[in-house]
Amino acid sequence: MTSRAQPHHPFPSSSPPTSDDEGNGGMDHAESRDGATGTDAHTDVTPATPEPAPESGKKRRRPWVRRVGRIALVLALVLIVPLLAAGTVLRINYTGDPADGTHTRGRDALWLGHAWVDGRKKDADVTALARRLEGTGIRDLYVHSGPLEHDGTLPKSAYPRARRLIDSVHREMPGVRVQAFLGDILAPEHPEGLHLERAESRAAILRSAREVLDTGYDGIHLDLEPLHSGDGDYLKLLDALHEETGSRGVPLSVAAHQIDPLPGFHSFWGALTGHPKWWSQEFFGQVARRVDQIAMMSYDTMQPLEGTYGGYVAQQTALALEVTPPSTDLLMGLPAYEENRFGHWAHAETVPAAVRGVRLGLSREDADRAGFGVALYIDFTATEADWAAYREGWVGERRPALRSAAGSCHPATPAGRTSGRPPAPSAGSARCP
């Protein structure tokens, strides 16, 4: 900012000279008010008090206002530029074509709500579920049977109809396993929650697992949140649980957090928000080596667009495959629910985008991996569109083909809709599927 010009006064004071001034030989000439000069006059040249400059039409900003503006601009650039760069990378990660054969391996899963074990669901609902799952790759049902008490115990009153459900599923869906979905909130983020650092709490969880397995469940699916990366007490718990499930010949499964999209990102985010959210890739691998199934909760990702979400899922799939041993089944979660809040946008986190992202990540990292699948969350919010996206995108189902009078093949399309697919080749160049 330039300083304001001070007013210039060309004329000295008009006070008359004093007698002491007369005859002063120190000055030959004195300038009069009208600019005339004389030989014997002396004029007082003391400057008058400056008058303020007239206000300009535009007010000038104070220095601190400009400094604050510059700081805000720098902060905006520091935040926005990396976000735009990351979004661009993720969107590029969503491009390309999945490899042939990247479809279900028959190791998929479905999370089910508590209504299946508290009496609200009946035999007719099991029959309807069997029809729903027919021809899919789903072989595990994670049935909510908790939550655990904050001390790790689980009253049997929490799952009064479990035995009936298990028998019905085995009858209606041979080969499908019913796992007890057990979970709770964790300290330190929830001080009132479960404290894994307490040996008595871990021992209580082990007893609860034994009790549900005695009821007839085909496995344990553990979901403890929010679980911080590097939690050694959690690893101790998994070792004890896996020894128990292994002795019974049933699987131990866990719901897992996402992996750092950038190395050490969980530490940065934890310092910023108090909620680390992600796991290091190393910790994800440590967990994966202690279980039979690990299902990543690849949703609630804060991604604003379907393309960036799909690219993020592709990245997460590849990162998880890198550290999950072949002896452990890796499942990627599909968001079969619609919510709009910070962390999850329904228009971005869709089942079609997740399925395509899973296939891209699988294609790039280990396209032939057998121990791999997807898991839909959750039955009571999944729509027909979600199920169609799972079947068409992952199971690999196609709409039945219709043969026209000319003998060519084209996909069947519901009345009033266009398929959005190019015309199929003639019967002479391709067979009907």
Side-chain angles (χ1 to χ4, degrees):
M1 178 184 294
T2 58
S3 60
R4 295 181 179 179
Q6 294 298 322
H8 176 64
H9 296 272
F11 306 114
S13 172
S14 58
S15 300
T18 64
S19 57
D20 293 335
D21 293 326
E22 294 176 359
N24 187 345
M27 178 174 292
D28 294 335
H29 300 87
E31 188 176 6
S32 70
R33 185 171 183 176
D34 59 3
T37 62
T39 60
D40 60 350
H42 178 76
T43 304
D44 185 3
V45 293
T46 303
T49 303
E51 296 178 5
E55 290 289 337
S56 61
K58 182 178 179 181
K59 291 186 178 180
R60 297 179 180 272
R61 291 183 179 178
R62 296 180 179 179
W64 69 268
V65 174
R66 297 191 69 178
R67 285 196 296 271
V68 170
R70 288 170 180 166
I71 292 172
L73 177 61
V74 170
L75 290 176
L77 291 175
V78 168
L79 292 174
I80 292 174
V81 171
L83 288 175
L84 290 176
T88 301
V89 170
L90 292 178
R91 184 61 185 85
I92 293 172
N93 205 35
Y94 193 54
T95 61
D97 296 320
D100 292 338
T102 50
H103 294 289
T104 186
R105 277 87 163 121
R107 297 169 185 254
D108 304 333
L110 171 66
W111 276 284
L112 297 178
H114 201 79
W116 294 91
V117 295
D118 67 5
R120 283 176 286 167
K121 294 289 187 179
K122 310 300 181 183
D123 288 345
D125 297 301
V126 176
T127 301
L129 180 62
R131 287 198 299 269
R132 168 76 73 186
L133 303 186
E134 185 177 357
T136 70
I138 293 175
R139 74 162 180 176
D140 284 292
L141 303 176
Y142 303 146
V143 185
H144 190 272
S145 305
L148 295 165
E149 299 294 326
H150 295 332
D151 61 0
T153 60
L154 180 65
K156 293 183 179 181
S157 58
Y159 49 96
R161 301 297 179 90
R163 180 73 252 184
R164 182 172 181 175
L165 171 69
I166 295 167
D167 292 341
S168 297
V169 168
H170 290 169
R171 181 179 63 253
E172 298 280 350
M173 294 170 267
V176 173
R177 301 181 297 195
V178 181
Q179 298 194 39
F181 170 11
L182 306 178
D184 195 15
I185 56 174
L186 291 179
E189 289 193 39
H190 299 278
E192 77 285 4
L194 184 62
H195 286 255
L196 287 180
E197 75 277 10
R198 298 173 183 170
E200 59 271 24
S201 296
R202 299 195 303 272
I205 295 173
L206 180 57
R207 289 193 299 270
S208 298
R210 287 171 177 158
E211 290 171 357
V212 295
L213 291 176
D214 289 341
T215 301
Y217 282 96
D218 300 312
I220 299 293
H221 178 73
L222 194 63
D223 178 16
L224 301 177
E225 302 179 46
L227 183 68
H228 292 185
S229 182
D231 191 326
D233 295 312
Y234 180 64
L235 299 181
K236 293 177 185 177
L237 174 63
L238 294 183
D239 287 337
L241 287 171
H242 202 205
E243 184 178 353
E244 180 65 31
T245 57
S247 68
R248 296 172 181 250
V250 297
L252 173 62
S253 173
V254 295
H257 291 12
Q258 298 153 33
I259 297 173
D260 283 333
L262 296 172
F265 196 73
H266 70 278
S267 297
F268 163 76
W269 194 257
L272 186 67
T273 67
H275 173 53
K277 183 177 173 64
W278 290 271
W279 287 353
S280 70
Q281 189 182 36
E282 178 185 9
F283 185 67
F284 190 96
Q286 291 173 341
V287 173
R289 289 191 293 272
R290 286 169 165 83
V291 297
D292 302 295
Q293 288 179 329
I294 184 166
M296 180 189 284
M297 296 177 285
S298 42
Y299 35 76
D300 294 348
T301 64
M302 296 186 284
Q303 293 302 318
L305 302 171
E306 194 172 33
T308 60
Y309 171 65
Y312 180 85
V313 172
Q315 179 207 47
Q316 290 291 307
T317 301
L319 289 173
L321 282 167
E322 288 177 0
V323 293
T324 303
S327 57
T328 301
D329 287 349
L330 171 65
L331 282 71
M332 300 299 294
L334 306 181
Y337 63 98
E338 291 190 5
E339 291 182 5
N340 286 297
R341 52 177 169 76
F342 178 75
H344 183 98
W345 302 104
H347 67 271
E349 297 196 14
T350 66
V351 173
V355 167
R356 190 169 191 277
V358 165
R359 293 187 63 202
L360 287 170
L362 181 63
S363 301
R364 294 163 184 163
E365 187 61 34
D366 191 358
D368 297 324
R369 183 187 177 100
F372 188 86
V374 299
L376 287 89
Y377 185 87
I378 188 169
D379 73 298
F380 56 83
T381 57
T383 64
E384 291 298 328
D386 293 330
W387 281 107
Y390 162 70
R391 284 181 173 272
E392 294 174 14
W394 181 244
V395 179
E397 289 186 355
R398 299 178 181 178
R399 293 189 180 98
L402 299 178
R403 187 177 297 278
S404 67
S408 63
C409 292
H410 59 88
T413 305
R417 291 182 54 189
T418 59
S419 68
R421 302 179 185 180
S426 64
S429 61
R431 294 178 299 172
C432 291

